[in-house]
Amino acid sequence: MGLLAVGFSSSPFRAIALSNSSSRADEGTKEQSSVALPSHSPLHKWRMVIAYDGTKFSGWQYQESPPTIQCLIERALMQITKLDRKELSLAGASRTDSGVHAWGQVAHFTTPFTYDGLDSIHAALNGLLPSEIRVREISAAKPEFHARFSTKSKIYHYKIYNNPIMDPFQYHYAYHSAHKLNPVAMREAAAYFVGKHDFSSFANASRNDRVRDPVRDIFRFDIIEMGSLLQLEIEGTGFMYRQVRNMVALLIQIGRESLPPYIVPTILAARDRKALAKVALAAPPHGLYLMSINYKHEHLELPADCPLISFGRTHQVSKCKLPFY
C-alpha cells in the first residue's frame, strides 16, 4: 500500500536514507547512502513504543526547560535524521503529567526517506537518550495511523504502598498510605466508575484542552492486592487531565473508610470538580503509570515492503577474552 504524501520539499529532489550496518549508535550518528527521489515523494511514518521513569521530567508534552520526554526524543531524532521539528511531526498518544511514568507510551514521527532496517536508528536513539527513557520498539506505520487519534483504549496503573513503613525502593514509584486501606470497599466504589459517564467532576481544567467532551467509557477498574502493594488498574477509551489521579484520590478516602462507596455516583452526577474537591485532593503523580495503549487492528498493520520491526539488537559474546586461572 502506498504511503500518504503529507508534505513536499522545497528542493527538486530529496534523498532517501538507507541504514548502514557500520552505524555508530553510541555516538548518535548514522552513516547514510542515498538515492535521489523526486520532491513529491511521500513521507514515511514510524511508530515507537516508549518507556520512561518520569521522576526527573516535566511530563510528555513538548517543553524545553525543564525538559520533557517529547523534547528529549525530538532532540535525539533531529540529531540522527538531520530533520527539524516540523518535518518530524512527533506526536504522542498521551500527554502524561510531570512525574508520571510509562511502560507503553506510543508516539509516531515522519521522515521524507525510508530505512532498509530499523536496528541502527533504534540503537542510536537509545544511545542519545538519558537512561530513564528507553525506546522499546520501532516499526513502520501506515499513513492512517496516528498515535493519539487511532486509539481504542488506554490502560493506566496506580500503585499504593499500604504499610506503616514505606519501602524505600518504592519511594519514587508508589504512593505511601500508612492508613490501613479496605480493598473491598475500594472495589465496590470502583465498580461505579465502569461504564459511560460524564467525568466533569474528576477532570482538572487544562490550558491544552480546547473543547472537551467529558464523557468517557471505562471498561474495567480492578484493584489487585500484592502483599503491601495495591495496584489499581483502569482501562477506558481515554482520560481527561488528571482524571485517573482524581478517581484514585476518592478511592483512597473510601479505602480509609472516611467516605462510603456510594458517594461515587453522587459526585459523578454533580458534574462539578468542586464536588470532589470538598472530599479529596488529587493523588500524587509518582504512583501513576501509562501501561499500554490499544489500537484499531487495521491501523497496526505494517505497510508493504517495510523494514522489520526493531525490538533492539541482541549482542552475543563469541569468545571470552579474559584469561582463565
Side-chain angles (χ1 to χ4, degrees), residues 61-240:
Q61 193 74 355
Y62 185 86
Q63 174 183 297
E64 291 189 359
S65 182
T68 61
I69 310 296
Q70 182 179 359
C71 177
L72 293 169
I73 292 176
E74 282 190 6
R75 287 179 186 174
L77 283 170
M78 288 165 66
Q79 185 170 340
I80 294 165
T81 65
K82 309 305 179 187
L83 301 174
D84 59 29
R85 287 192 66 218
K86 186 177 181 181
E87 290 175 294
L88 288 168
S89 300
L90 179 68
S94 183
R95 295 174 292 187
T96 54
D97 204 4
S98 177
V100 174
H101 313 294
W103 174 248
Q105 172 72 284
V106 176
H108 76 259
F109 66 96
T110 59
T111 61
F113 47 75
T114 189
Y115 293 94
D116 62 358
L118 294 173
D119 283 349
S120 292
I121 186 174
H122 193 173
L125 269 173
N126 283 334
L128 288 169
L129 289 167
S131 58
E132 295 91 347
I133 306 172
R134 294 292 89 178
V135 175
R136 293 174 50 211
E137 64 181 77
I138 302 180
S139 63
K142 286 189 170 182
E144 57 265 33
F145 172 82
H146 192 285
R148 184 178 178 189
F149 299 121
S150 298
T151 61
K152 287 179 61 179
S153 69
K154 298 177 182 179
I155 298 174
Y156 280 89
H157 289 181
Y158 195 94
K159 298 180 186 295
I160 302 170
Y161 194 78
N162 191 199
N163 193 288
I165 306 299
M166 182 59 178
D167 179 347
F169 296 106
Q170 299 282 348
Y171 181 76
H172 292 294
Y173 309 106
Y175 167 68
H176 180 215
S177 175
H179 298 272
K180 182 63 177 175
L181 299 177
N182 181 347
V184 175
M186 294 172 73
R187 288 191 188 98
E188 182 182 344
Y192 288 112
F193 286 122
V194 177
K196 188 175 289 187
H197 305 285
D198 183 324
F199 283 94
S200 297
S201 296
F202 292 88
N204 286 26
S206 170
R207 64 184 180 184
N208 293 321
D209 290 326
R210 295 179 177 87
V211 179
R212 295 188 307 164
D213 177 6
V215 176
R216 296 291 188 272
D217 195 355
I218 305 300
F219 303 138
R220 65 182 181 93
F221 202 144
D222 301 324
I223 297 171
I224 300 170
E225 298 176 72
M226 298 182 289
S228 294
L229 196 68
L230 279 180
Q231 183 164 287
L232 283 62
E233 301 182 359
I234 178 169
E235 180 178 3
T237 52
F239 302 94
M240 291 181 288

Side-chain angles (χ1 to χ4, degrees), residues 1 26 46 50 54 62 79 107-108 136 165 168 188 203 220 224 231 241 248 251 262 298 319 325:
M1 178 176 178
D26 56 332
W46 311 98
I50 306 160
Y62 185 86
Q79 185 170 340
H108 76 259
R136 293 174 50 211
I165 306 299
E188 182 182 344
R220 65 182 181 93
I224 300 170
Q231 183 164 287
Y241 183 52
V248 169
L251 291 182
Y262 57 79
E298 59 271 21
K319 182 179 181 181
Y325 294 98

Side-chain angles (χ1 to χ4, degrees), residues 1-9 12-17 35-46 83 87 109-115 141-143 303-304:
M1 178 176 178
L3 293 174
L4 178 67
V6 294
F8 299 93
S9 169
F13 293 95
R14 194 80 191 210
I16 175 170
V35 179
L37 287 183
S39 60
H40 61 270
S41 61
L43 292 186
H44 300 269
K45 188 172 283 187
W46 311 98
L83 301 174
E87 290 175 294
F109 66 96
T110 59
T111 61
F113 47 75
T114 189
Y115 293 94
K142 286 189 170 182

